[in-house]
Amino acid sequence: MNVRAWLAGLSARERNLVYLAAALLAAALVYLLLVMPLNGMHRRLESRVERKSGDLAWMRQVAPQVTAAAAAGTAPASTESLVVLVDRSARAAGLGAAVRDQSPSGARGLRLRLEGAPFDVLVAWLASLREQYGVEVESASVDSTPTPGLVNASITLTHPGSAG
């Protein structure tokens, strides 16, 4: 039996109830399949913007200190290979397990990838590389992970004292 024939067999009142139930079901599906997911995504993005705004405010706050530190000069460059220096100092800082990939970047640079690295330890390590060995961060991309405090990072370092 097809739906048209079944609807034709119903009284006008029953047919109106079936149409109303179908409309309510359609509205519920639209809400569940479109509105709720978009609402959740909006909340997550709003939260991310708030976090990023906080990060930006902090960066603006410490920018004068960073500029002053940069103006004070860097430590003398080490003659040790950048690959060896990064590997040794990362292990000493407790980041050895987080280092996933290292590859040369130009004559005096090194690209590395860290996964699941504690953010505070990573920043302290990069600062110590600069202060102790004159290693500069040429570029960095840091992404959060589902675990609070841990990040994935792609960093390019340059070392004036050695090639690769």
Side-chain angles (χ1 to χ4, degrees), residues 71-131:
T74 62
S78 168
T79 57
E80 191 173 25
S81 164
L82 184 56
V83 173
V84 173
L85 176 65
V86 166
D87 185 60
R88 181 180 51 76
S89 62
R91 289 179 195 284
L95 292 170
V99 177
R100 294 287 181 251
D101 183 34
Q102 292 185 19
S103 61
S105 174
R108 300 185 184 277
L110 180 69
R111 250 187 312 266
L112 64 141
R113 174 87 183 136
L114 294 99
E115 294 179 1
F119 179 75
D120 294 342
V121 174
L122 175 63
V123 171
W125 174 64
L126 291 172
S128 74
L129 280 176
R130 184 175 193 280
E131 291 170 8

Short mmCIF file of all heavy atoms in Angstrom, two decimals, residues 71-131:
data_model
loop_
_atom_site.label_atom_id
_atom_site.label_comp_id
_atom_site.label_asym_id
_atom_site.label_seq_id
_atom_site.Cartn_x
_atom_site.Cartn_y
_atom_site.Cartn_z
N ALA A 71 67.85 43.49 22.66
CA ALA A 71 68.78 44.61 22.50
C ALA A 71 70.05 44.39 23.32
O ALA A 71 71.11 44.91 22.98
CB ALA A 71 68.12 45.91 22.91
N ALA A 72 69.93 43.61 24.40
CA ALA A 72 71.09 43.35 25.25
C ALA A 72 72.11 42.45 24.57
O ALA A 72 73.23 42.34 25.02
CB ALA A 72 70.63 42.72 26.56
N GLY A 73 71.71 41.81 23.49
CA GLY A 73 72.63 40.95 22.75
C GLY A 73 72.43 39.49 23.08
O GLY A 73 71.71 39.14 24.00
N THR A 74 73.07 38.65 22.31
CA THR A 74 72.93 37.21 22.51
C THR A 74 74.23 36.64 23.01
O THR A 74 75.28 37.26 22.94
CB THR A 74 72.56 36.51 21.18
OG1 THR A 74 73.62 36.72 20.26
CG2 THR A 74 71.27 37.03 20.61
N ALA A 75 74.16 35.46 23.48
CA ALA A 75 75.35 34.76 23.96
C ALA A 75 76.26 34.42 22.79
O ALA A 75 75.81 34.33 21.65
CB ALA A 75 74.92 33.48 24.67
N PRO A 76 77.51 34.22 23.03
CA PRO A 76 78.40 33.83 21.94
C PRO A 76 77.97 32.49 21.35
O PRO A 76 77.50 31.61 22.05
CB PRO A 76 79.77 33.72 22.62
CG PRO A 76 79.53 33.75 24.08
CD PRO A 76 78.17 34.30 24.32
N ALA A 77 78.13 32.38 20.06
CA ALA A 77 77.70 31.16 19.37
C ALA A 77 78.60 29.99 19.75
O ALA A 77 79.80 30.12 19.90
CB ALA A 77 77.75 31.39 17.87
N SER A 78 77.97 28.82 19.86
CA SER A 78 78.71 27.59 20.15
C SER A 78 79.28 27.05 18.84
O SER A 78 78.74 27.27 17.77
CB SER A 78 77.75 26.57 20.77
OG SER A 78 78.34 25.30 20.81
N THR A 79 80.39 26.33 18.95
CA THR A 79 80.97 25.73 17.75
C THR A 79 80.43 24.33 17.52
O THR A 79 80.75 23.68 16.54
CB THR A 79 82.50 25.66 17.87
OG1 THR A 79 82.83 24.93 19.05
CG2 THR A 79 83.10 27.06 17.94
N GLU A 80 79.59 23.86 18.43
CA GLU A 80 78.99 22.53 18.33
C GLU A 80 77.95 22.52 17.20
O GLU A 80 77.28 23.51 16.96
CB GLU A 80 78.31 22.22 19.67
CG GLU A 80 77.86 20.82 19.86
CD GLU A 80 77.36 20.60 21.30
OE1 GLU A 80 76.93 21.54 21.96
OE2 GLU A 80 77.42 19.44 21.73
N SER A 81 77.81 21.40 16.51
CA SER A 81 76.82 21.25 15.45
C SER A 81 75.42 21.52 16.01
O SER A 81 75.10 21.11 17.12
CB SER A 81 76.87 19.83 14.89
OG SER A 81 75.72 19.54 14.15
N LEU A 82 74.60 22.22 15.24
CA LEU A 82 73.25 22.55 15.69
C LEU A 82 72.43 21.29 15.97
O LEU A 82 71.68 21.23 16.95
CB LEU A 82 72.54 23.44 14.67
CG LEU A 82 71.16 23.95 15.05
CD1 LEU A 82 71.19 24.70 16.37
CD2 LEU A 82 70.60 24.84 13.95
N VAL A 83 72.59 20.26 15.15
CA VAL A 83 71.85 19.01 15.36
C VAL A 83 72.23 18.40 16.70
O VAL A 83 71.36 18.02 17.49
CB VAL A 83 72.14 18.01 14.21
CG1 VAL A 83 71.51 16.67 14.50
CG2 VAL A 83 71.63 18.56 12.89
N VAL A 84 73.51 18.34 16.99
CA VAL A 84 73.99 17.77 18.25
C VAL A 84 73.54 18.64 19.42
O VAL A 84 73.07 18.13 20.44
CB VAL A 84 75.53 17.61 18.23
CG1 VAL A 84 76.05 17.19 19.58
CG2 VAL A 84 75.93 16.63 17.15
N LEU A 85 73.68 19.93 19.27
CA LEU A 85 73.30 20.87 20.32
C LEU A 85 71.82 20.75 20.65
O LEU A 85 71.44 20.66 21.82
CB LEU A 85 73.64 22.30 19.88
CG LEU A 85 73.23 23.41 20.82
CD1 LEU A 85 74.00 23.32 22.12
CD2 LEU A 85 73.46 24.76 20.15
N VAL A 86 70.98 20.73 19.63
CA VAL A 86 69.53 20.63 19.85
C VAL A 86 69.17 19.30 20.48
O VAL A 86 68.40 19.25 21.44
CB VAL A 86 68.77 20.84 18.52
CG1 VAL A 86 67.32 20.41 18.62
CG2 VAL A 86 68.85 22.30 18.09
N ASP A 87 69.75 18.23 19.98
CA ASP A 87 69.46 16.91 20.54
C ASP A 87 69.87 16.81 22.00
O ASP A 87 69.11 16.39 22.86
CB ASP A 87 70.15 15.82 19.71
CG ASP A 87 69.77 14.43 20.16
OD1 ASP A 87 68.56 14.11 20.10
OD2 ASP A 87 70.66 13.67 20.59
N ARG A 88 71.09 17.23 22.29
CA ARG A 88 71.61 17.15 23.66
C ARG A 88 70.80 18.02 24.62
O ARG A 88 70.38 17.58 25.69
CB ARG A 88 73.08 17.56 23.68
CG ARG A 88 73.73 17.49 25.06
CD ARG A 88 75.18 17.90 25.04
NE ARG A 88 75.45 19.17 24.38
CZ ARG A 88 75.20 20.37 24.93
NH1 ARG A 88 74.66 20.45 26.12
NH2 ARG A 88 75.50 21.48 24.27
N SER A 89 70.55 19.27 24.22
CA SER A 89 69.85 20.18 25.12
C SER A 89 68.38 19.81 25.26
O SER A 89 67.80 19.99 26.34
CB SER A 89 69.99 21.62 24.64
OG SER A 89 69.41 21.78 23.36
N ALA A 90 67.76 19.25 24.21
CA ALA A 90 66.36 18.81 24.31
C ALA A 90 66.23 17.66 25.31
O ALA A 90 65.31 17.64 26.13
CB ALA A 90 65.82 18.40 22.94
N ARG A 91 67.15 16.73 25.24
CA ARG A 91 67.14 15.62 26.20
C ARG A 91 67.36 16.12 27.63
O ARG A 91 66.70 15.68 28.56
CB ARG A 91 68.20 14.58 25.83
CG ARG A 91 67.86 13.80 24.59
CD ARG A 91 68.95 12.78 24.25
NE ARG A 91 68.82 12.27 22.91
CZ ARG A 91 67.93 11.38 22.53
NH1 ARG A 91 67.09 10.89 23.40
NH2 ARG A 91 67.87 10.98 21.28
N ALA A 92 68.30 17.05 27.78
CA ALA A 92 68.58 17.60 29.10
C ALA A 92 67.38 18.35 29.66
O ALA A 92 67.14 18.33 30.87
CB ALA A 92 69.80 18.52 29.04
N ALA A 93 66.60 18.97 28.79
CA ALA A 93 65.42 19.73 29.23
C ALA A 93 64.21 18.82 29.44
O ALA A 93 63.17 19.28 29.89
CB ALA A 93 65.08 20.80 28.20
N GLY A 94 64.33 17.54 29.07
CA GLY A 94 63.20 16.62 29.23
C GLY A 94 62.30 16.57 28.01
O GLY A 94 61.17 16.09 28.09
N LEU A 95 62.78 17.07 26.88
CA LEU A 95 61.98 17.08 25.65
C LEU A 95 62.42 16.02 24.65
O LEU A 95 61.90 15.97 23.54
CB LEU A 95 62.08 18.46 24.97
CG LEU A 95 61.43 19.61 25.72
CD1 LEU A 95 61.81 20.93 25.07
CD2 LEU A 95 59.93 19.44 25.76
N GLY A 96 63.35 15.16 25.01
CA GLY A 96 63.88 14.16 24.08
C GLY A 96 62.80 13.29 23.48
O GLY A 96 62.81 12.99 22.28
N ALA A 97 61.82 12.88 24.29
CA ALA A 97 60.75 12.00 23.78
C ALA A 97 59.79 12.74 22.87
O ALA A 97 59.09 12.12 22.07
CB ALA A 97 59.99 11.38 24.95
N ALA A 98 59.74 14.07 22.98
CA ALA A 98 58.79 14.85 22.18
C ALA A 98 59.34 15.17 20.78
O ALA A 98 58.58 15.46 19.87
CB ALA A 98 58.42 16.15 22.89
N VAL A 99 60.66 15.12 20.61
CA VAL A 99 61.26 15.44 19.31
C VAL A 99 60.97 14.31 18.34
O VAL A 99 61.34 13.17 18.56
CB VAL A 99 62.79 15.68 19.44
CG1 VAL A 99 63.41 15.92 18.07
CG2 VAL A 99 63.07 16.84 20.37
N ARG A 100 60.27 14.63 17.27
CA ARG A 100 59.86 13.62 16.30
C ARG A 100 60.66 13.66 15.00
O ARG A 100 60.84 12.66 14.35
CB ARG A 100 58.37 13.78 15.95
CG ARG A 100 57.44 13.51 17.07
CD ARG A 100 57.39 12.00 17.36
NE ARG A 100 56.47 11.75 18.43
CZ ARG A 100 56.81 11.37 19.65
NH1 ARG A 100 58.06 11.18 19.95
NH2 ARG A 100 55.91 11.17 20.58
N ASP A 101 61.11 14.85 14.62
CA ASP A 101 61.76 14.95 13.31
C ASP A 101 62.72 16.14 13.33
O ASP A 101 62.41 17.17 13.89
CB ASP A 101 60.69 15.15 12.23
CG ASP A 101 61.27 15.20 10.83
OD1 ASP A 101 62.26 14.49 10.57
OD2 ASP A 101 60.73 15.95 9.99
N GLN A 102 63.88 15.96 12.71
CA GLN A 102 64.84 17.04 12.53
C GLN A 102 65.32 17.00 11.09
O GLN A 102 65.62 15.93 10.58
CB GLN A 102 66.06 16.86 13.45
CG GLN A 102 65.79 17.00 14.91
CD GLN A 102 67.08 16.92 15.72
OE1 GLN A 102 68.17 17.09 15.20
NE2 GLN A 102 66.93 16.64 17.01
N SER A 103 65.36 18.18 10.47
CA SER A 103 65.89 18.23 9.11
C SER A 103 66.58 19.58 8.90
O SER A 103 66.18 20.58 9.49
CB SER A 103 64.77 18.03 8.08
OG SER A 103 63.80 19.05 8.20
N PRO A 104 67.64 19.59 8.07
CA PRO A 104 68.37 20.84 7.83
C PRO A 104 67.47 21.89 7.18
O PRO A 104 66.55 21.57 6.44
CB PRO A 104 69.48 20.44 6.86
CG PRO A 104 69.55 18.96 6.92
CD PRO A 104 68.21 18.47 7.35
N SER A 105 67.77 23.14 7.47
CA SER A 105 67.06 24.27 6.87
C SER A 105 68.10 25.31 6.50
O SER A 105 68.52 26.11 7.32
CB SER A 105 66.04 24.84 7.86
OG SER A 105 65.45 26.01 7.34
N GLY A 106 68.56 25.26 5.27
CA GLY A 106 69.61 26.17 4.83
C GLY A 106 70.96 25.76 5.41
O GLY A 106 71.13 24.69 5.98
N ALA A 107 71.93 26.65 5.30
CA ALA A 107 73.29 26.35 5.73
C ALA A 107 73.44 26.32 7.24
O ALA A 107 74.23 25.57 7.78
CB ALA A 107 74.25 27.37 5.13
N ARG A 108 72.69 27.14 7.94
CA ARG A 108 72.85 27.25 9.39
C ARG A 108 71.55 27.03 10.15
O ARG A 108 71.42 27.52 11.27
CB ARG A 108 73.42 28.62 9.74
CG ARG A 108 74.76 28.87 9.11
CD ARG A 108 75.33 30.19 9.59
NE ARG A 108 76.57 30.51 8.93
CZ ARG A 108 77.75 30.04 9.29
NH1 ARG A 108 77.84 29.20 10.27
NH2 ARG A 108 78.83 30.40 8.65
N GLY A 109 70.61 26.32 9.57
CA GLY A 109 69.32 26.15 10.23
C GLY A 109 68.93 24.70 10.42
O GLY A 109 69.52 23.78 9.85
N LEU A 110 67.93 24.51 11.28
CA LEU A 110 67.41 23.18 11.57
C LEU A 110 65.92 23.30 11.80
O LEU A 110 65.46 24.15 12.57
CB LEU A 110 68.09 22.62 12.82
CG LEU A 110 67.65 21.23 13.26
CD1 LEU A 110 68.13 20.18 12.26
CD2 LEU A 110 68.19 20.91 14.64
N ARG A 111 65.17 22.46 11.09
CA ARG A 111 63.73 22.38 11.29
C ARG A 111 63.46 21.19 12.18
O ARG A 111 64.01 20.11 11.95
CB ARG A 111 63.02 22.15 9.95
CG ARG A 111 62.23 23.32 9.46
CD ARG A 111 61.42 22.98 8.22
NE ARG A 111 62.19 22.31 7.18
CZ ARG A 111 62.77 22.91 6.17
NH1 ARG A 111 62.69 24.20 6.04
NH2 ARG A 111 63.44 22.22 5.27
N LEU A 112 62.63 21.38 13.20
CA LEU A 112 62.29 20.23 14.03
C LEU A 112 60.82 20.24 14.37
O LEU A 112 60.16 21.27 14.37
CB LEU A 112 63.16 20.16 15.29
CG LEU A 112 63.05 21.26 16.32
CD1 LEU A 112 63.13 20.62 17.69
CD2 LEU A 112 64.23 22.18 16.15
N ARG A 113 60.31 19.05 14.64
CA ARG A 113 58.90 18.84 14.98
C ARG A 113 58.86 18.19 16.35
O ARG A 113 59.55 17.19 16.60
CB ARG A 113 58.27 17.93 13.93
CG ARG A 113 56.86 17.51 14.22
CD ARG A 113 55.87 18.52 13.69
NE ARG A 113 54.53 18.11 14.07
CZ ARG A 113 53.62 18.92 14.53
NH1 ARG A 113 53.86 20.20 14.63
NH2 ARG A 113 52.43 18.48 14.86
N LEU A 114 58.08 18.78 17.25
CA LEU A 114 57.88 18.21 18.58
C LEU A 114 56.40 17.89 18.73
O LEU A 114 55.54 18.67 18.31
CB LEU A 114 58.30 19.20 19.68
CG LEU A 114 59.78 19.52 19.72
CD1 LEU A 114 60.05 20.81 19.02
CD2 LEU A 114 60.26 19.57 21.14
N GLU A 115 56.11 16.75 19.33
CA GLU A 115 54.72 16.34 19.55
C GLU A 115 54.52 16.00 21.02
O GLU A 115 55.32 15.27 21.61
CB GLU A 115 54.35 15.15 18.68
CG GLU A 115 54.36 15.49 17.20
CD GLU A 115 54.01 14.29 16.32
OE1 GLU A 115 53.75 13.20 16.85
OE2 GLU A 115 54.02 14.47 15.10
N GLY A 116 53.47 16.56 21.60
CA GLY A 116 53.15 16.28 23.00
C GLY A 116 54.17 16.85 23.96
O GLY A 116 54.45 16.28 25.01
N ALA A 117 54.72 18.01 23.62
CA ALA A 117 55.73 18.65 24.48
C ALA A 117 55.05 19.57 25.49
O ALA A 117 54.12 20.30 25.13
CB ALA A 117 56.70 19.47 23.63
N PRO A 118 55.51 19.56 26.74
CA PRO A 118 54.97 20.52 27.72
C PRO A 118 55.33 21.94 27.28
O PRO A 118 56.51 22.24 27.06
CB PRO A 118 55.66 20.14 29.03
CG PRO A 118 56.20 18.77 28.81
CD PRO A 118 56.45 18.64 27.34
N PHE A 119 54.34 22.80 27.16
CA PHE A 119 54.55 24.14 26.64
C PHE A 119 55.57 24.93 27.46
O PHE A 119 56.48 25.54 26.90
CB PHE A 119 53.22 24.91 26.59
CG PHE A 119 53.37 26.32 26.08
CD1 PHE A 119 53.58 26.56 24.74
CD2 PHE A 119 53.31 27.39 26.95
CE1 PHE A 119 53.73 27.84 24.26
CE2 PHE A 119 53.47 28.69 26.49
CZ PHE A 119 53.67 28.92 25.14
N ASP A 120 55.44 24.91 28.77
CA ASP A 120 56.35 25.68 29.62
C ASP A 120 57.79 25.21 29.45
O ASP A 120 58.72 26.02 29.40
CB ASP A 120 55.93 25.58 31.09
CG ASP A 120 54.59 26.23 31.36
OD1 ASP A 120 54.15 27.04 30.52
OD2 ASP A 120 53.98 25.92 32.40
N VAL A 121 57.98 23.90 29.37
CA VAL A 121 59.33 23.35 29.20
C VAL A 121 59.89 23.75 27.83
O VAL A 121 61.06 24.11 27.70
CB VAL A 121 59.31 21.81 29.36
CG1 VAL A 121 60.67 21.20 29.05
CG2 VAL A 121 58.85 21.42 30.76
N LEU A 122 59.03 23.70 26.80
CA LEU A 122 59.45 24.08 25.45
C LEU A 122 59.92 25.53 25.41
O LEU A 122 61.00 25.83 24.87
CB LEU A 122 58.30 23.86 24.46
CG LEU A 122 58.54 24.31 23.02
CD1 LEU A 122 59.67 23.52 22.39
CD2 LEU A 122 57.26 24.15 22.21
N VAL A 123 59.16 26.44 25.99
CA VAL A 123 59.52 27.86 25.98
C VAL A 123 60.82 28.08 26.76
O VAL A 123 61.71 28.81 26.31
CB VAL A 123 58.37 28.71 26.54
CG1 VAL A 123 58.80 30.15 26.75
CG2 VAL A 123 57.17 28.64 25.61
N ALA A 124 60.94 27.43 27.91
CA ALA A 124 62.17 27.57 28.71
C ALA A 124 63.38 27.03 27.94
O ALA A 124 64.47 27.62 27.97
CB ALA A 124 62.01 26.85 30.05
N TRP A 125 63.19 25.91 27.25
CA TRP A 125 64.27 25.32 26.47
C TRP A 125 64.71 26.26 25.34
O TRP A 125 65.91 26.47 25.14
CB TRP A 125 63.83 23.96 25.92
CG TRP A 125 64.80 23.32 24.99
CD1 TRP A 125 66.06 22.90 25.26
CD2 TRP A 125 64.59 23.03 23.60
NE1 TRP A 125 66.65 22.35 24.15
CE2 TRP A 125 65.76 22.42 23.11
CE3 TRP A 125 63.51 23.21 22.74
CZ2 TRP A 125 65.89 22.00 21.79
CZ3 TRP A 125 63.64 22.78 21.43
CH2 TRP A 125 64.82 22.19 20.96
N LEU A 126 63.73 26.82 24.61
CA LEU A 126 64.07 27.75 23.53
C LEU A 126 64.80 28.98 24.07
O LEU A 126 65.76 29.46 23.46
CB LEU A 126 62.81 28.15 22.76
CG LEU A 126 62.16 27.05 21.94
CD1 LEU A 126 60.82 27.50 21.38
CD2 LEU A 126 63.07 26.57 20.83
N ALA A 127 64.37 29.46 25.22
CA ALA A 127 65.04 30.62 25.83
C ALA A 127 66.48 30.26 26.22
O ALA A 127 67.40 31.06 26.00
CB ALA A 127 64.26 31.09 27.05
N SER A 128 66.67 29.07 26.77
CA SER A 128 68.03 28.68 27.16
C SER A 128 68.92 28.47 25.93
O SER A 128 70.12 28.77 25.98
CB SER A 128 68.01 27.43 28.04
OG SER A 128 67.72 26.28 27.28
N LEU A 129 68.36 27.96 24.84
CA LEU A 129 69.15 27.82 23.61
C LEU A 129 69.66 29.20 23.15
O LEU A 129 70.82 29.33 22.73
CB LEU A 129 68.31 27.19 22.49
CG LEU A 129 68.14 25.69 22.50
CD1 LEU A 129 67.21 25.25 21.38
CD2 LEU A 129 69.47 24.98 22.38
N ARG A 130 68.81 30.18 23.25
CA ARG A 130 69.19 31.54 22.82
C ARG A 130 70.22 32.13 23.77
O ARG A 130 71.24 32.67 23.35
CB ARG A 130 67.98 32.45 22.75
CG ARG A 130 68.32 33.82 22.23
CD ARG A 130 67.08 34.67 22.06
NE ARG A 130 67.36 35.85 21.30
CZ ARG A 130 67.92 36.95 21.81
NH1 ARG A 130 68.29 36.98 23.07
NH2 ARG A 130 68.13 37.99 21.06
N GLU A 131 69.94 32.03 25.07
CA GLU A 131 70.82 32.66 26.06
C GLU A 131 72.18 31.98 26.14
O GLU A 131 73.21 32.65 26.24
CB GLU A 131 70.15 32.63 27.43
CG GLU A 131 68.95 33.53 27.54
CD GLU A 131 68.15 33.31 28.81
OE1 GLU A 131 68.61 32.56 29.70
OE2 GLU A 131 67.05 33.87 28.91
#
